[in-house]
Structure formats: structure tokens, C-alpha cells
Amino acid sequence: MLNEVSNGNILQTIPQRIPVDGTFELTVRCNLHCKMCLFRHDDSENPKLLNEEMTAAEWIDMADQAAKAGTLSLLITGGEPMIREDFCEIWEGIYRKGFLITLYTNATLVTPEIMETLRKYPPHKIGVTIYGASPETYQEVCGNGDAFTKAVHGMHELQKLPSIMEFRTTIIKQNYGDIDAIEDLVHREFGQDTRLIQTRVVTQAVRGACADVAACRLDPEDNVRLAYHRGIELIKQYVGDSFDERNLIAEYIRDPSENEKMKKLSLLGCDAGMNQYTISWDGKLLGCQMLGLFSTNARREGFDAAWRDWPSTIRLKPVNEKCKRCKNSLICNCCYASRYAETGDLGGLPEYVCRDTEIVSRLLEKGREKKWTQKKNM
């Protein structure tokens, strides 16, 4: 079934939208002060945030509405969701609605009460963030050295649950030298098969968050080098040392016509607002958690009306001409959310992402040249 929606002055035909995949952002408050956090507000705002956060009863009712609307999988996140005193009440109430449920946490606030609740109502998956392999690194990255011991203890507690555990990290200047130690710690403490996922591109903070990300994130050259070589090492674990990284070429890139087709079948060029959404800490429905520019009020209007009306809030701007002509457009991590985060303009030119993409392009070109040479010599 196709629907017609107005996107600014353009009438756009899109498939039926079904809110299958949801995110509930219980709070943007956090007990850590990570230098690169996308969402955390300054502590001085906490009284105001507390006053305006959705209540436990509202979250549970929202979950009921979302389930009836077709949501199957739900991510519970923040901020740090466990910072809420009513976390256990919210978790149990939402869990009982029958979602495939994931929990994101920094694991530093795991208490016996929370563990008792999670044992009764275990997540299908837990994503835990780890930012260093020592108290000193946690102090540098998160402003709290004691959090390291608490995080490792919390992770061990969460590992007792019958849940898939996924470890996530973001590498910035303050923990760049710790990446191998972080990986060693994760494998030593939680098993050799445990996977550590690194955030690929760190954008500027969004939606009023306070972090000065530009001051701490890696230069694109270091960021790509780190991600690329960690990826190669992961491949070698499965393929073996005979793997030749020079053969890593961009065969996965979509044909340009497929890219255009995707744009026509969505609102923002991705699944945001099509089958994915976020309910923010104060009850707004967002297509993408990073992009607060377009929203409806699910708290006031109810989930169904907010989901139905969300496309009417979109007002896109033409993308920068340089981006339109860029030879790397098919491998670029740019989207409307990252453009807005980096430049304050939906059509802006995000220099950091551009530099990152150019470096990736050069790596892929080396692979193409290698393959071409091999073909000529056959």
C-alpha cells in the first residue's frame, strides 16, 4: 500500500509506514560525563529535566499503544536509563507488553534490586558501553575514575542473565591508546568470543546536549585507520592470515539507481520514520533519535496520531551542490541527521565526515587497483 505525503512543496509517494522498531529514551540524564556524548545535558538542567520526563505510568501506557500499533522490537536507552529511581517499575511494565527488548547501559548503576527485576524479565540483548581499561582512562573520558570498577562489576552481573551481551565503545583522543587494552579486558573478563563494537563516526552532540565533541574526537585519519585495521584483524580471525587486505574492495556498494530508489521509498533516505522511531524523554516522537528537528507530541496526542502526523513535520533543504557531485556519495556516512549535527543545516557540508569518506575512498581505490592488476596479469 502506498501513501502520499507532502514533503515541503513536494508530493511524495511512499510505502505504508509501520512502526516496527522503536526506541524509548527514558532520560537524557547520566551519572557519567563522557566527553563525546551525543545526548547528555548539563547537570544544571537536571531539575528541569526531572520535572518534564515522562512518568513510569506514561511510559508503560506508551508501550501499550506502541505494541498495538505494530512495534515488535524495542530499545530501552538514555542517557543512562538506570539513573531513574522508577527504572524497575518502567522495565517490568514495558516488558510485559511482549516486545523483543534490548537494554543499553553503562553498567555502573546495576543494583541488587535492578538485577532481581532483570532476572524476572531478562532483556533479549544488552548493549554495554565500555570506555577504558583502567580507572585513569575512565577519569579522562567520563570524569569518574571510580566508574571503571563499578562498570566491570555491573557487566559481570548482567552477564549472569540469559541475554546476548554486546560490548560497545567510542574511541576519542583520551582513550585512543587504550583500545587494545579495552579489547583484551573484554575478552579476558567476558570470553574470547565476545564482540567489541566501535562507533564508526562520532558526530557533534545533538538536541541541546552539552558535549564539545569536536574537541575530543579523533582526526578522521586516525579514526579511519583504527576502524579499518580493527576490521581487518576481525576478518583474519575468521578467514586466517592468508587474507590479503589489498583485495578488500567496494563490491558491496549499491548501484546508483538503487540509491535513488531508496530515497523515493523513504522520507529521510533511510528507515527513520518508515519503520523506526524514537520516543524522547519528554514524549516527542522522532523519526531518528539524532534528529530532533522534526517531531510530533506522542505524549499529548497519543502514539497513533503522532506516528501518522510525523511526515507532515518534515521540511528538507537542498543538499550542498558539492555533495551532489561528489564521487564518493555512495560510500559516504552523511545523512540529514549528521549534516544537521555537524553544520546546523540539513543541506550543509560536514567537513569532518567528508574527510573521513575521502580517506575510506582512497583505501578502496587501492583495493580496486590491486584487483585490476591481478586481472591484467592473468
Side-chain angles (χ1 to χ4, degrees):
M1 179 179 177
L2 297 178
N3 298 323
E4 287 189 338
V5 297
S6 176
N7 185 356
N9 296 321
I10 303 172
L11 193 65
Q12 186 175 358
T13 302
I14 61 172
Q16 184 180 14
R17 300 164 51 247
I18 303 175
V20 175
D21 188 4
T23 294
F24 279 11
E25 177 191 72
L26 301 190
T27 182
V28 287
R29 293 180 293 121
C30 188
N31 60 311
L32 302 183
H33 300 121
C34 297
K35 286 180 165 62
M36 65 295 184
C37 183
L38 291 179
F39 303 112
R40 187 186 70 83
H41 288 226
D42 189 85
D43 286 353
S44 63
E45 298 183 49
N46 282 349
K48 181 176 183 291
L49 297 175
L50 272 166
N51 190 50
E52 297 179 6
E53 282 178 357
M54 294 249 287
T55 66
E58 287 177 313
W59 278 117
I60 294 167
D61 180 62
M62 188 66 68
D64 187 56
Q65 295 180 57
K68 291 175 180 176
T71 299
L72 300 177
S73 64
L74 195 63
L75 167 64
I76 305 300
T77 186
E80 170 49 54
M82 292 183 188
I83 202 172
R84 290 192 57 136
E85 294 182 357
D86 53 4
F87 171 79
C88 292
E89 178 185 355
I90 294 171
W91 181 266
E92 178 179 347
I94 290 175
Y95 193 96
R96 288 177 175 273
K97 306 301 178 184
F99 300 106
L100 186 69
I101 196 165
T102 298
L103 172 66
Y104 277 7
T105 176
N106 62 37
T108 61
L109 298 179
V110 178
T111 64
E113 180 189 6
I114 287 175
M115 280 304 300
E116 182 180 355
T117 297
L118 295 179
R119 275 191 291 269
K120 290 180 181 176
Y121 311 103
H124 293 85
K125 182 188 287 186
I126 304 172
V128 292
T129 49
I130 181 166
Y131 297 123
S134 69
E136 291 75 21
T137 305
Y138 260 73
Q139 182 65 44
E140 284 293 313
V141 176
C142 309
N144 186 342
D146 293 339
F148 171 72
T149 302
K150 293 177 181 177
V152 173
H153 171 75
M155 292 170 195
H156 277 295
E157 289 296 297
L158 293 171
Q159 196 181 34
K160 297 174 183 178
L161 300 170
S163 309
I164 298 169
M165 283 277 281
E166 186 177 83
F167 291 79
R168 312 173 72 86
T169 191
T170 301
I171 301 301
I172 58 175
K173 293 174 182 176
Q174 285 75 9
N175 62 357
Y176 185 54
D178 235 22
I179 179 60
D180 290 337
I182 293 171
E183 194 148 36
D184 289 345
L185 183 149
V186 167
H187 290 158
R188 182 178 67 253
E189 296 285 336
F190 306 103
Q192 284 297 320
D193 294 332
T194 306
R195 187 182 176 197
L196 178 66
I197 299 171
Q198 177 194 337
T199 301
R200 174 63 187 85
V201 177
V202 185
T203 65
Q204 299 273 29
V206 297
R207 295 171 45 212
C210 64
D212 182 6
V213 178
C216 68
R217 65 185 173 186
L218 299 179
D219 292 334
E221 291 78 8
D222 289 333
N223 190 50
V224 173
R225 188 182 303 113
L226 180 63
Y228 180 80
H229 289 297
R230 287 194 70 244
I232 293 297
E233 289 304 312
L234 185 62
I235 292 172
K236 285 182 177 179
Q237 288 179 25
Y238 293 95
V239 178
D241 290 334
S242 61
F243 174 75
D244 186 347
E245 65 183 76
R246 292 173 297 177
N247 290 326
L248 187 65
I249 63 174
E251 293 177 345
Y252 64 88
I253 298 175
R254 288 194 301 265
D255 181 271
S257 62
E258 291 297 312
N259 243 32
E260 290 305 311
K261 187 186 299 182
M262 179 61 184
K263 290 178 183 177
K264 292 177 182 177
L265 296 180
S266 69
L267 292 162
L268 296 176
C270 63
D271 290 333
M274 297 300 299
N275 53 42
Q276 295 178 354
Y277 67 89
T278 292
I279 302 296
S280 68
W281 59 277
D282 55 351
K284 294 184 177 66
L285 188 145
L286 315 173
C288 166
Q289 190 180 15
M290 282 185 61
L291 189 58
L293 198 59
F294 312 122
S295 67
T296 47
N297 195 322
R299 188 181 200 175
R300 184 180 64 235
E301 301 167 12
F303 184 90
D304 279 338
W307 174 255
R308 181 194 65 222
D309 295 342
W310 181 80
S312 67
T313 68
I314 298 176
R315 296 292 183 272
L316 300 181
K317 295 178 65 175
V319 173
N320 185 283
E321 286 299 321
K322 184 177 179 181
C323 286
K324 288 182 180 179
R325 299 190 302 268
C326 182
K327 65 181 177 66
N328 297 323
S329 60
L330 294 180
I331 60 170
C332 184
N333 283 303
C334 255
C335 64
Y336 287 110
S338 60
R339 290 178 192 280
Y340 193 73
E342 289 292 306
T343 70
D345 183 348
L346 289 167
L349 185 69
E351 180 186 352
Y352 183 88
V353 182
C354 289
R355 288 170 57 198
D356 180 284
T357 305
E358 179 59 34
I359 297 161
V360 172
S361 176
R362 291 201 297 267
L363 287 171
L364 295 175
E365 283 299 328
K366 288 181 181 179
R368 290 189 184 96
E369 291 168 5
K370 171 67 177 177
K371 185 176 182 181
W372 175 247
T373 302
Q374 288 174 334
K375 283 185 175 180
K376 284 178 65 178
N377 294 333
M378 287 177 65

